[in-house]
Amino acid sequence: MALDPYMSCPCGSGKKFKWCCASYYPEVERALALEQQAQHEAALAAMKDLTTKHADKAAVWGYYAQFLYNSGQAEPAEEA
C-alpha cells in the first residue's frame, strides 16, 4: 500500500512518514504479506533480516514486536 509521504508515520512516532519509516516500510509490508499468506517462516526471516539491517531504528523493533505478538509469541515480543 502506497502511503502519503507527508502523513503521520504508522509507527506512531509523530514524524512524517517520509522522514521516519519510508526507507524500510516496503520490507515491513512484504513480511506482513508473507504472514497473511501463511508463510510464517519466510515472514519471520524477513522480519529478522529487517532488524539486522536497521538495528538502530526503534520503529523496526516495534514492528518486529508487533509481528511476534500477532503471531502468538507474546514472550519474545516483550523481549524485542
Side-chain angles (χ1 to χ4, degrees):
M1 165 176 97
L3 295 174
D4 177 3
Y6 298 101
M7 67 179 249
S8 293
C9 191
C11 77
S13 68
K15 297 178 185 177
K16 299 297 181 193
F17 178 67
K18 179 178 181 174
W19 292 287
C20 192
C21 295
S23 64
Y24 50 81
Y25 196 74
E27 295 175 61
V28 172
E29 286 186 316
R30 185 176 69 83
L32 295 176
L34 287 169
E35 180 67 22
Q36 287 180 348
Q37 297 167 3
Q39 297 181 20
H40 308 294
E41 294 300 320
L44 183 58
M47 288 303 288
K48 284 184 179 180
D49 183 49
L50 185 64
T51 60
T52 301
K53 285 194 244 179
H54 302 284
D56 61 329
K57 305 290 186 188
V60 169
W61 291 100
Y63 289 125
Y64 181 56
Q66 179 183 7
F67 172 82
L68 290 173
Y69 184 80
N70 289 342
S71 63
Q73 301 178 43
E75 190 171 310
E78 286 290 327
E79 293 173 14

